[in-house]
Amino acid sequence: MQKRQQPGRRTVLGAAALGAGAAVFGGAGQASASQESAGARGAAGRGLPVPLVVGHRGASGYRPEHTFGSYQLALDMGADIIEQDLVPTKDGHLVCRHENDITATTDVSDHPEFAGRKTTKTVDGKDLTGWFTEDFTLAELKTLRAKERIPDVRQHNTLYNGRWQVPTFEEVLQWAEREGKKRGRPVWLYIETKHPTYFRKLGLGLEERLAKALRAHGRHRKSSPNFLQSFEPGSIQRLGELGLHCPKVVLLDEPSVRPWDFVESGDPRTTADLLKPEGLRWLAGFAQGIGPWLPQVIAQDESGKLGEPTTLVRDAHAAGLAVHPYTMRNENSFLPLDFRVGKDPDAYGDVFGALKAYFATGIDGIFSDNPDTALLAAADFRKN
């Protein structure tokens, strides 16, 4: 195991994540002791400890993802930030779905009036058959109800099928304002643009709509309580050009994958290229963090057991980038082999042991479907 990152590194990066700006991210490695102390105080004062916990699509381990049931539970559990994935409707409204294909996450197949909308599309090079948000007006989409995406794994979540509509991003912003006033502190959001190149070619550009919404709610500044994220570096660059100064994070897919905007533009680089020090330095020119896949932080052997940490966290910090990997889940089937308990793939494993191993690498935060579990693990880690 490599040596754990020094606490000063984590506290300074935490302060940067709180909106202090790219200069703080970039200076993390050279921070003085007094700067480190100030960083720790800033994190405590603004309510984002390090490592922070992102409620992945809300508390999606317990409620159907991207519903107000999931968002509210994550907030009530104490998640430091709550994630939204954005896709557009036919009439240009931003709604919160992990994908524009809503076949698995809504009851659209039960609506005979929409049977004719089922179609096959090619999205980022993949052929998908189902129902898609861009073929529905917001009014039509609001007649649907959300349901559990992986019912075979999370049968208990199916209890809540049909309780909630698909939320609009505007509704989420209003909810965050209400909840922030109630709690006396801002509600942090982690907002992703999904398939931005695909939607821009349809005339439904996400970045401009997102920028307009954030400006309307005063969430476009360095100090605003939100992160912006995308798997397409070009989308992050575009958001910066539109005057959104809040922290930005580039998500990283599997090493062999090329970001789709790279495919469209002819850029030959893959994720593996972006994981290299020179790739990270390039990302640091317009982003303040990366969201890698967990095996990119600690490699797994052929059997699926955790091996040694990679150099990614160290390299990212050297480039001035915070590291928020995805996604920790409690079920055995999602855990490294050496942290599974029993033979039931849907039962909970030793998630606390796995989280301890990932936190020890010096990551600055983590996405979790079970924010209560991750919060307990983060608290234990900070004590030690």
Side-chain angles (χ1 to χ4, degrees), residues 120-244:
T120 298
K121 298 192 177 194
T122 303
V123 181
D124 292 3
K126 297 178 181 178
D127 291 336
L128 303 170
T129 298
W131 288 265
F132 299 83
T133 59
E134 64 267 27
D135 296 331
F136 290 78
T137 66
L138 179 59
E140 290 172 332
L141 203 62
K142 281 294 188 179
T143 66
L144 308 180
R145 291 295 183 273
K147 66 178 185 180
E148 172 56 34
R149 180 177 60 88
I150 47 174
D152 292 342
V153 177
R154 293 172 174 167
Q155 193 277 332
H156 56 280
N157 277 13
T158 64
L159 174 66
Y160 304 99
N161 286 354
R163 290 195 63 89
W164 295 290
Q165 294 179 324
V166 173
T168 67
F169 184 53
E170 175 61 28
E171 289 169 342
V172 169
L173 291 170
Q174 294 173 3
W175 166 80
E177 288 182 2
R178 289 194 305 271
E179 292 294 329
K181 289 177 182 177
K182 186 187 303 182
R183 287 165 166 73
R185 59 177 176 80
V187 172
W188 281 74
L189 306 177
Y190 215 124
I191 307 156
E192 180 179 350
T193 57
K194 301 292 296 190
H195 309 298
T197 295
Y198 168 81
F199 286 120
R200 192 174 306 119
K201 291 175 73 173
L202 294 180
L204 293 169
L206 299 176
E207 293 87 359
E208 292 77 12
R209 289 170 169 82
L210 175 54
K212 181 179 179 179
L214 293 179
R215 285 185 179 280
H217 289 264
R219 279 180 170 259
H220 60 290
R221 305 179 179 90
K222 280 186 179 180
S223 59
S224 297
N226 38 253
F227 286 76
L228 306 177
Q229 59 177 335
S230 182
F231 278 99
E232 295 188 18
S235 183
I236 294 299
Q237 291 174 308
R238 195 178 189 91
L239 290 169
E241 293 165 358
L242 290 169
L244 299 183

Side-chain angles (χ1 to χ4, degrees), residues 275-342:
L275 291 167
K276 296 176 182 176
E278 56 268 34
L280 295 169
R281 288 193 294 271
W282 178 74
L283 293 174
F286 53 88
Q288 289 72 50
I290 57 171
W293 191 39
L294 280 169
Q296 292 163 351
V297 174
I298 304 180
Q300 296 183 12
D301 64 21
E302 292 182 359
S303 71
K305 293 183 179 180
L306 284 188
E308 291 294 316
T310 69
T311 64
L312 178 60
V313 174
R314 184 183 67 201
D315 294 342
H317 285 175
L321 295 166
V323 182
H324 298 163
Y326 64 91
T327 303
M328 182 58 68
R329 299 175 169 100
N330 286 2
E331 293 89 357
N332 277 322
S333 58
F334 299 118
L335 291 172
L337 183 63
D338 39 339
F339 293 96
R340 297 177 187 177
V341 178

Side-chain angles (χ1 to χ4, degrees), residues 50-71:
V50 179
L52 57 81
V53 172
V54 183
H56 185 237
R57 310 175 199 172
S60 54
Y62 310 110
R63 302 289 187 272
E65 65 189 38
H66 289 313
T67 61
F68 277 115
S70 185
Y71 294 156

Side-chain angles (χ1 to χ4, degrees), residues 243-263:
L244 299 183
H245 302 295
C246 38
K248 303 175 191 69
V249 172
V250 175
L251 298 169
L252 300 171
D253 211 319
E254 296 184 36
S256 63
V257 173
R258 291 166 67 196
W260 191 252
D261 56 333
F262 284 15
V263 174

